[in-house]
Amino acid sequence: MDLLRFSTAGSVDDGKSTLIGRLLFDTKAIFEDQLDAVRRATRNPASGGVDLSLLTDGLKAEREQGITIDVAYRYFATPRRKFIIADTPGHEQYTRNMATGASTADLAVILVDARAGVLVQSKRHTAIAQLLGIPHLVVAVNKMDLVGYDQGTFEAIRRDFEAFAGRLGARDLTFIPLSALVGDNVVHRSDAMPWYRGPSLLGHLEAVEVAREAADRPFRLPVQLVLRPHQDFRGFAGTIASGAVRVGDEVVALPSGRRSRVRAIHAHGGDRPEAATGQAVALLLEDEIDVSRGDLLAAAAAPPLVTREVEADLVWMSEAPLDPTRPYLVRHTTRATRGRVTEVRYRTDVNTLDRVPARGLGLNEIGRVRLTTAQPLCADPYAEDRATGALVLVDLETNHTVAAGMIRELRPVAGAEAALPGGRVDRAAREASHGHRAGVLWLAGLSGSGKAELARVLEARLFRLGVNAYAVDAASLADPGDPAARAALAARLLVDAGLVAIFALPGPSAADRDRVRRAVGAERFLEIHVATPPELCAPHASGTVAGAEPPPPPAEEPYDPPASPDLALPLHRLGTDEAADQVVALLARREFLKGAAYLGGAGI
């Protein structure tokens, strides 16, 4: 028998838990001791036997309030199929739990109270189900007994729901009128609604076709671990996410792009000639290629894209709002890597389905974002493959899952490993991990102008903001030799490491500063003039360390003030803290930093 995973969703008091209880009760999937416990917990047994909703609402708070709070999973089987049910909450406060329970479902049952019609939360849950790519939707119009089994009421709800679902692009919609409390059209067809000629809910659940959908997709195996029990066995183990594989098939290992053929398929019970979706296997390849956890084995004829930048729909699940200035852990198949939301494109209004401009996302909100990752992802669009098109974001501090994501668009990386020769991490990957662009802040000023102190304050300020910054002053470059050459070399190395390098050097000539500008690229070089007048400069202060002799003044070298600096700071009038604020604001304007927290520099 195959397996169907389905979830229930809808607004509060639409009867989700009662419906599941009725399914379990009428299919005789409840043990006698479970039924006895529910009878004892029923508040008013004289009113009609047992409260079947208590079969899934097991938390004390759920029974006290009469609502579902957490996802409850139940299992049952009929002669035709096995089922896993996720009973999800209807209350808006627990929408994140609904998204969690529905994330692996093949079918969603959206309940609608026949008396109330289609409510906002019913629309929200339908929108999330559609975003999650659940291929089959059943709209169960519940409590038909309370409206006299009126066909007109059912048809009105059907028209209302079809108009909304049509805008979502929902394709497979089935409408079933029922009464979970009484049992009409749940397991058995009801005589109370002769105008309805369709199947019961269980009849539809047994008949809907889902098994072939994942199996017909191209082969994908996220590698969980490498098995090496002895020198003659090297197997790449994991659960087949989609498609099928046979001995002799050509596969590609991603992101490396190396190809080989399947020599053997090892599974529980021994080797086999082929394996398909959902099976745990270890593949042995004909060639010795480098594959490790987080890599993906895929059909060579139809591989996924390798990318570091995706557009994704996020369902935000955390009470702490999305913070574009912070990195998150991105979990995609078996790979975990740091990533950052570089742009919130819009938020979706679940009532109107309009796209609303937004700079962030709050609890239960849905929006489209751009996401950049430090390591490449081997992904498909979610609409093509739910296994390789899904991801989650995890808070690095709390380890809590904060968002579920569905990849919509990918920007492919040409030659995934071309940017990593010999294992070297390139600048783009470092910038994605750090969450900011790399560059140079050159504080040019006379000796004693205060630039070294400003550099130290800036370094600490940027560090608190999560920016990898490093200050370099004359004392840092104490080697004899050409100071400009050493500065150019240090600047290039620091920028290649993805840092914001802060140089506090006299920069005696414009040619020397241009030498550094050329070394790192003009777009990464910001020239800041610390414009303290000569008469106000402290003598020989630059680079001085407590207890040490001050370095000799560069009096023999002429000083060329910047002709057109990116920023001029009269430090004698501003003060160091105010000057640092202006530099941070400059970095934000030039898009070295991301996020509203940096804009303007105020209050930082």
Side-chain angles (χ1 to χ4, degrees), residues 584-600:
V584 173
L586 173 66
L587 288 170
R589 289 195 303 272
R590 298 294 179 86
E591 297 185 347
F592 282 76
L593 311 179
K594 295 290 185 181
Y598 298 119
L599 297 180

Side-chain angles (χ1 to χ4, degrees), residues 199-218:
S200 67
L201 176 61
L202 180 62
H204 179 75
L205 295 177
E206 288 183 321
V208 68
E209 181 66 35
V210 294
R212 295 302 306 169
E213 293 175 358
D216 290 340
R217 300 188 189 107

